[in-house]
Amino acid sequence: MPPPDSASQASTLTSVVSQDQGGVRLDQFWMRHAEDQGVARSRIQSWIKNGLALINGSPCLRPGRRLAPGDRLELRAAVPNSGLTPENRELHVLYHDDDLVILNKPADLVVHPAAGLDQGTLVHRLLHHFPELAGKGAGGMDTSRPGIVHRLDKDTTGLLAVALNEPTRLCLASAFAAREVEKVYLALVHGRPRAEGIVDAPIGRHPTLKTRMAVTEKGGKPAHSAYTLLWTAPEDRFSLVQVRIASGRTHQIRVHMRHVGHPLLGDPTYCPASFTSWQDDIPCLNALLRRPMLHAWKLGLPHPRTNQPLSFVLPPPKDMLRVILVGSRTTQRVGLTGMPGCGKSLLLADLAALGLPAWSADKAVAELYLPGRDGWELLRRNFGDRFIPDPEGPVDKRALLNALRETPHLRRELEALIHPLARHHLEDFWQAHRKHRVAAAEVPLLLETGWPSDFDLIVGLACDPDRRRAWLRSDRGWDENLLADMESWQWPEAKKIRACHLVVTNPGTRDELAQKARSLVDVLQWLRQQGVRRILARITALVAPE
C-alpha cells in the first residue's frame, strides 16, 4: 500500500464482506461502512482511485469493482490537512445546532481562502469557533472551505448558512441545487425601477474584462432574478428593492440590476460614472458608499436532519441605513409670506444672518427690470415706451404702478409675463444651494401665484394690522388708497395666515423679531429630524420580519 501523503492524516478501515453483501460495488460498500463518519462517496472514490483500497491484500483502483462474500477489505482514509490556522475573531452567530450554523456576515470579509489569500477569511474564524470543522466529524469535507455551501461577495452583508459536517453539507448542497432554498436580498439601486420585474439573462465572464461578469449571449450560465420595488428616495435618486434569486451566479444581482438600467449604489465595478453625478450634491454621501449596497436579507431552507423549514430575516446593517437617510436629504425649501408691511424682509434678513441662504422675490423682480434684463425686454416688447421712455433707460416704476392700479387686466397681463421669470430665478436659487440643509425665500404673493409646490414649508408672518399700516404710511408714504389697492391684490390676511404651515408673530421690535428667527431655525431643524425619523420608521417597517 502506498504511504500517505506527508500533508495528510491517515486512518485504516478494515472489514470482511458478508454473505448478503456479495455483488456490492466497492465504493458503495465503504460508503455504507463509513456513513456514520460523514464521508462523501466522491471522497471514497478518490481514495480508491489513488490506490488506498485493498481487496485481499492487493490494491484495487476501480470504485465499481463488485465484491464477493469473504473478501477482506482495507481502506486507508487519507484526509488532507488544510493548513489553515484558526483565527480568534468575532463571529455573529444567529442560529446554531449540531449540524448547522446561520451567520451574519459583515462587509469586507471574504468567505473562504483563495489563491493569494490564506488568512483573514470567514473560514479561518469558523475553524476557531467550530473546531469540529477540522476534526474527525468533518470527514470528507473540502478542507480549504469546510462547511461552505454557498457564499456572499466580500462586501455583501447578511445571512450565510454553514454546514458543520459532511452529511449536512451534502444535504444543503442538494437543497441549493434543487432550488429549495429561499434567497432574498435587499439592494439600493440608482433611479426608480418598475414596481416589479424579472431578469432572466445568462451570466458569464465579460468578453474583454476578465475580472468582471456580464450578461452574455453565448457561454453564460442561466441566471434568474426577480425584483420588487419597496421604496424610492426623494427626486427618484435611488430605490430600495428586494431581489429574489433562484440561481446563484457570481455577482448575479449586481450584473442583473445593471442590465436593467439600475446599478447598485457604491458599486465601482458595475455602475458607470454617469449614474453617480447626483451623489456629489449630498454632503458626506460618497464617504459612506464604500461598498455595493447589497444585503442578504432572507434565507429559508429545510433543516438537513429533520427537514423542518427554517426561516431567517436579518434587517440591513447600519451603513446601509445611513446611506438611505443621508441620500434622502433634500434642501428644506422655506417660503416666507404675509401682508404688506408685516416685516417679511426683516425676518428674511435675520434668517440670512443665521446662515440660511436667502432669496427675495421683490429683489429678483427689481433685477429683472434692470435695463437689458429679461423683464425690461418684455416690457419694451409688449408696451413700447409706455413704461420705458428712454430706449436704454430704467423702468418708470411710478408710471407702471399707476397703470396697474387703474387697469386690473393690465396687472394680470404683467403678472403672466413677469412671474414665470421670477419663478425661474427662484429655481436657480434652489439649485445653487442644493447642498444646504435649508434655504428661505420671501414671496409676498406666494399663495396667490400658485407657487406652494415650490416649497416644502410655508411660514406666514402675522403682524398687528394697525401697526403695519402705520409703518407703511410713515416709512413708505402710502396713502389709504394705495394701502387698499395693494391689499386688494392679495388674499385677506386671515385666509393667508390659515393657508401657511407655520405662523410667526412679529412682536414689533427688531431684537424680538431676531429671537423669533432663531426659534424658527430651531423648529425647522426639528422638522427635518422628524422627517428622518419617518423615513427610518418606514424602512424599518418594510424590512421587518413578517
Side-chain angles (χ1 to χ4, degrees):
M1 188 178 347
D5 188 286
S6 60
S8 301
Q9 300 172 354
S11 61
T12 301
L13 306 177
T14 60
S15 187
V16 176
V17 180
S18 64
Q19 191 68 34
D20 61 348
Q21 292 175 320
V24 173
R25 287 170 52 108
L26 177 61
D27 57 353
Q28 291 176 338
F29 177 91
W30 281 120
M31 181 63 199
R32 296 170 186 172
H33 191 79
E35 184 175 10
D36 61 337
Q37 299 185 35
V39 181
R41 180 176 178 177
S42 60
R43 184 56 56 89
I44 289 176
Q45 290 178 331
S46 175
W47 291 338
I48 294 171
K49 292 176 182 178
N50 287 325
L52 301 180
L54 283 75
I55 301 177
N56 301 319
S58 300
C60 176
L61 306 181
R62 293 190 296 113
R65 162 79 177 269
R66 300 291 176 174
L67 301 177
D71 282 344
R72 293 178 292 104
L73 308 180
E74 293 183 38
L75 178 67
R76 189 168 188 181
V79 183
N81 292 327
S82 69
L84 302 180
T85 303
E87 296 178 4
N88 183 11
R89 301 186 65 183
E90 187 177 21
L91 205 61
H92 300 281
V93 176
L94 305 177
Y95 174 87
H96 172 213
D97 61 23
D98 292 340
D99 302 296
L100 182 67
V101 176
I102 303 296
L103 303 171
N104 174 12
K105 190 193 88 67
D108 197 31
L109 180 63
V110 176
V111 170
H112 57 71
L117 183 65
D118 57 2
Q119 62 182 359
T121 72
L122 176 65
V123 163
H124 290 86
R125 301 185 187 191
L126 285 167
L127 290 172
H128 172 82
H129 292 275
F130 301 98
E132 60 266 37
L133 284 170
K136 182 178 179 181
M141 278 196 182
D142 183 340
T143 53
S144 67
R145 53 182 74 179
I148 302 302
V149 291
H150 69 126
R151 68 183 186 88
L152 301 176
D153 292 341
K154 174 184 176 182
D155 289 319
T156 300
T157 60
L159 293 164
L160 185 75
V162 176
L164 292 180
N165 50 64
E166 183 66 358
T168 294
R169 190 193 69 80
L170 293 172
C171 185
L172 290 180
S174 176
F176 274 96
R179 299 187 175 180
E180 298 171 351
V181 178
E182 179 190 40
K183 295 176 289 182
V184 185
Y185 292 72
L186 293 175
L188 295 180
V189 301
H190 286 274
R192 182 188 183 94
R194 294 183 302 168
E196 57 185 22
I198 293 176
V199 189
D200 204 348
I203 292 177
R205 286 289 170 187
H206 192 285
T208 57
L209 303 172
K210 298 305 181 182
T211 59
R212 299 185 184 183
M213 309 301 289
V215 170
T216 56
E217 295 182 2
K218 296 181 180 180
K221 295 182 179 180
H224 181 98
S225 305
Y227 69 83
T228 302
L229 176 65
L230 299 179
W231 172 87
T232 299
E235 303 172 6
D236 291 348
R237 294 169 179 166
F238 65 95
S239 298
L240 175 67
V241 297
Q242 71 168 41
V243 186
R244 187 182 303 270
I245 61 173
S247 48
R249 308 304 175 202
T250 301
H251 299 172
Q252 176 172 326
I253 294 175
R254 297 163 66 186
V255 172
H256 271 176
M257 294 311 297
R258 170 66 184 94
H259 183 63
V260 296
H262 299 281
L264 270 62
L265 269 68
D267 191 342
T269 303
Y270 297 106
C271 182
S274 59
F275 284 86
T276 64
S277 58
W278 66 269
Q279 296 172 187
D280 296 333
D281 294 338
I282 313 296
C284 304
L285 179 58
N286 285 326
L288 293 175
L289 289 172
R290 298 177 179 176
R291 67 178 184 93
M293 288 290 107
L294 185 62
H295 173 72
W297 176 36
K298 292 183 179 181
L299 182 64
L301 68 165
H303 191 280
R305 187 181 297 272
T306 67
N307 207 39
Q308 292 298 310
L310 298 175
S311 182
F312 304 92
V313 178
L314 183 63
K318 290 182 179 179
D319 70 333
M320 203 166 185
L321 292 175
R322 289 193 188 102
V323 168
I324 290 173
L325 296 178
V326 173
S328 298
R329 287 178 180 172
T330 58
T331 301
Q332 187 182 30
R333 302 169 302 172
V334 179
L336 303 181
T337 193
M339 299 302 288
C342 67
K344 301 183 296 298
S345 298
L346 296 177
L347 180 60
L348 184 71
D350 289 334
L351 293 175
L354 294 171
L356 275 66
W359 182 87
S360 166
D362 289 342
K363 290 183 179 180
V365 171
E367 289 181 12
L368 290 169
Y369 282 163
L370 291 174
R373 298 293 181 87
D374 290 345
W376 185 91
E377 292 285 358
L378 282 175
L379 286 178
R380 287 282 298 173
R381 187 179 306 135
N382 287 272
F383 303 104
D385 61 359
R386 181 177 178 184
F387 305 120
I388 307 177
D390 182 346
E392 297 182 359
V395 174
D396 186 342
K397 294 181 180 178
R398 180 178 295 275
L400 182 60
L401 177 59
N402 290 335
L404 296 177
R405 294 176 66 188
E406 295 168 0
T407 314
H409 74 81
L410 179 62
R411 177 173 57 83
R412 291 189 291 271
E413 182 181 351
L414 187 63
E415 287 177 349
L417 293 173
I418 299 301
H419 285 178
L421 296 178
R423 194 171 191 177
H424 181 72
H425 200 286
L426 175 61
E427 291 170 355
D428 288 344
F429 168 77
W430 295 137
Q431 180 65 17
H433 297 91
R434 61 190 181 278
K435 294 186 180 182
H436 287 78
R437 297 293 287 119
V438 58
E442 176 214 350
V443 187
L445 299 179
L446 190 158
L447 298 166
E448 293 83 351
T449 54
W451 289 12
S453 61
D454 295 342
F455 297 87
D456 301 303
L457 191 76
I458 300 175
V459 177
L461 186 59
C463 183
D464 177 78
D466 293 335
R467 188 169 71 242
R468 65 177 180 80
R469 287 170 181 157
W471 180 83
L472 288 170
R473 284 191 292 265
S474 63
D475 283 51
R476 291 197 182 178
W478 289 14
D479 59 25
E480 293 301 324
N481 291 331
L482 181 56
L483 274 170
D485 286 343
M486 296 297 286
E487 291 194 358
S488 70
W489 297 350
Q490 303 193 22
W491 287 359
E493 185 169 18
K495 178 182 179 181
K496 197 162 191 167
I497 292 300
R498 282 197 305 270
C500 296
H501 301 110
L502 291 177
V503 177
V504 174
T505 301
N506 188 341
T509 69
R510 288 295 291 117
D511 288 344
E512 290 175 313
L513 187 60
Q515 180 56 49
K516 291 280 187 176
R518 288 189 287 272
S519 298
L520 177 58
V521 169
D522 292 340
V523 171
L524 295 175
Q525 182 180 21
W526 180 83
L527 289 172
R528 294 196 300 275
Q529 292 170 347
Q530 291 301 108
V532 170
R533 292 188 179 98
R534 284 193 295 272
I535 292 175
L536 184 59
R538 173 65 174 154
I539 299 301
T540 301
L542 286 171
V543 302
E546 298 177 355

